[in-house]
Amino acid sequence: MPSAPSSPDLAHLLSHAERRVVRRLAAVLAEEECTVEEWRVLSIVGDGRGHPMSEIAEFALMPAPSLTKLVDRMVAATLVHRRPDPHDRRRVLLYLTPRGDDLYRRAADRVRADQTRLLAGAVDAQDLARLLARLVTAAGTGAEPDVASGIRQP
């Protein structure tokens, strides 16, 4: 693979950037024995409000069956737990356990530090997040801008 993308095509450039950033993220998270997929679940559930599986699947960019298997493993590892939705007993909401919250906070610190190093001097992280959120919306994917704006700050 070449060191820099040779095509000026937007989709190609974004794909290259996504692969490299995710590979870097995976290396940072490996230090906490956390996968990128687990991180995505932890980062949405980390707000403590409880989220339904459909919302988590959209945020984590995972099909529902794969997410269910991942969440089952995370429940077994005591990182998250399920509770019935108090407003709709047919739905289940996912929450962090104390162990999951600890992992989330440690990983968030590492991710934030790495992203700061990555973006230092190159671009303003908040401007980049806003531009990418606008691009997601403009591309008509149906994703809300806050889904694309990054991790929750602990």
Side-chain angles (χ1 to χ4, degrees):
M1 178 189 322
S3 61
S6 60
S7 170
D9 176 58
L10 179 62
H12 185 84
L13 291 171
L14 287 171
S15 293
H16 255 284
E18 188 268 343
R19 284 182 183 165
R20 289 178 183 194
V21 170
V22 170
R23 191 173 23 230
R24 185 178 175 124
L25 175 63
V28 168
L29 292 171
E31 296 172 23
E32 293 293 341
E33 298 182 8
C34 182
T35 67
V36 171
E37 293 78 13
E38 289 169 336
W39 167 246
R40 289 177 179 158
V41 172
L42 293 172
S43 66
I44 188 172
V45 178
D47 64 9
R49 295 184 302 191
H51 295 272
M53 294 292 280
S54 58
E55 183 181 335
I56 296 167
E58 182 178 332
F59 182 85
L61 307 172
M62 295 180 72
S66 298
L67 177 65
T68 298
K69 290 176 187 173
L70 173 63
V71 168
D72 287 346
R73 288 192 303 270
M74 293 176 76
V75 167
T78 66
L79 297 173
V80 296
H81 65 93
R82 296 175 173 107
R83 280 198 300 221
D85 184 334
H87 305 292
D88 183 350
R89 304 293 276 166
R90 296 169 294 175
R91 287 189 346 164
V92 173
L93 303 179
L94 197 66
Y95 295 87
L96 290 181
T97 63
R99 184 169 186 251
D101 188 60
D102 184 50
L103 173 59
Y104 167 72
R105 291 183 186 285
R106 287 191 327 266
D109 288 343
R110 288 183 185 272
V111 168
R112 194 171 20 263
D114 185 66
Q115 288 178 354
T116 298
R117 283 190 300 275
L118 176 63
L119 297 173
V123 295
D124 178 88
Q126 291 179 342
D127 285 345
L128 178 60
R130 277 192 294 275
L131 288 170
L132 289 173
R134 288 177 56 196
L135 180 60
V136 166
T137 301
T141 63
E144 295 297 319
D146 64 335
V147 170
S149 67
I151 65 169
R152 176 186 72 86
Q153 299 297 318

